[in-house]
């Protein structure tokens, strides 16, 4: 049996978040993930979705689908993004739910939460951190 799975997952995503936090170029350092696919304004996240988001939020996205496009969030809804990473889906969803809705991002990786909070500051949005 392999080691502690939770620890391994946290370390893996923590390293990616640390690269994004430290980076200055548009490359997140991912080699075999959807990362480059996402940053190329692909079918996953078109320019309409990522317009106005910090590069770090986009570059830290490791998902291979756009849950916002699939879920069709509406004004006033409450959304929970599990494994929210750098916050891309939280920030995109907030555009749709408006001031009457809420979007929560939950991630177990401290580095990803740090990155999401830095992205929050860059966007100057009203988000609360719950520890």
């Amino acid at each position: 049996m392999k080691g502690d799975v939770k620890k391994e997952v946290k370390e893996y995503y923590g390293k990616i978040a640390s690269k994004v936090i430290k980076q200055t170029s548009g490359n997140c350092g991912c080699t075999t993930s959807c990362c480059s696919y996402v940053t190329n304004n692909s079918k996953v996240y078109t320019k309409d979705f990522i317009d106005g988001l910090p590069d770090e939020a986009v570059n830290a996205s490791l998902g291979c689908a756009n849950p916002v496009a699939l879920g069709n969030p509406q004004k006033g809804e409450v959304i929970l993004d599990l494994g929210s990473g750098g916050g891309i889906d939280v920030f995109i969803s907030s555009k749709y739910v408006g001031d009457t809705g809420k979007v929560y991002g939950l991630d177990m990786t401290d580095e990803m939460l740090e990155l999401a909070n830095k992205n929050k500051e860059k966007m100057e949005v009203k988000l609360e951190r719950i520890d």
Side-chain angles (χ1 to χ4, degrees):
M1 184 173 186
K2 239 179 169 174
D4 182 357
V5 174
K6 182 177 178 182
K7 180 180 176 187
E8 289 180 29
V9 169
K10 287 180 80 168
E11 286 176 3
Y12 177 79
Y13 288 104
K15 287 178 185 176
I16 293 169
S18 293
K19 286 181 183 180
V20 174
I21 290 169
K22 293 176 187 172
Q23 65 123 7
T24 56
S25 69
N27 181 0
C28 68
C30 308
T31 56
T32 58
S33 72
C34 300
C35 190
S36 61
Y37 184 57
V38 172
T39 58
N40 289 332
N41 294 330
S42 67
K43 296 174 188 167
V44 177
Y45 294 105
T46 62
K47 184 166 176 34
D48 292 342
F49 285 109
I50 62 173
D51 191 39
L53 299 183
D55 289 340
E56 293 83 356
V58 176
N59 289 340
S61 175
L62 300 171
C64 293
N66 180 346
V68 178
L70 299 171
N72 191 25
Q74 302 294 311
K75 290 213 180 296
E77 288 187 329
V78 176
I79 295 174
L80 172 60
D81 179 12
L82 299 174
S84 57
I88 187 170
D89 295 319
V90 172
F91 299 127
I92 293 171
S93 296
S94 69
K95 296 178 185 180
Y96 291 87
V97 301
D99 293 337
T100 59
K102 292 186 184 223
V103 182
Y104 297 96
L106 178 66
D107 202 283
M108 69 175 192
T109 310
D110 292 336
E111 295 87 351
M112 283 293 187
L113 292 172
E114 177 185 350
L115 179 59
N117 280 303
K118 286 182 179 188
N119 290 330
K120 168 190 77 166
E121 290 170 13
K122 287 180 181 180
M123 292 189 61
E124 298 179 353
V125 294
K126 180 184 172 189
L127 296 175
E128 298 173 21
R129 180 180 175 138
I130 301 173
D131 292 316

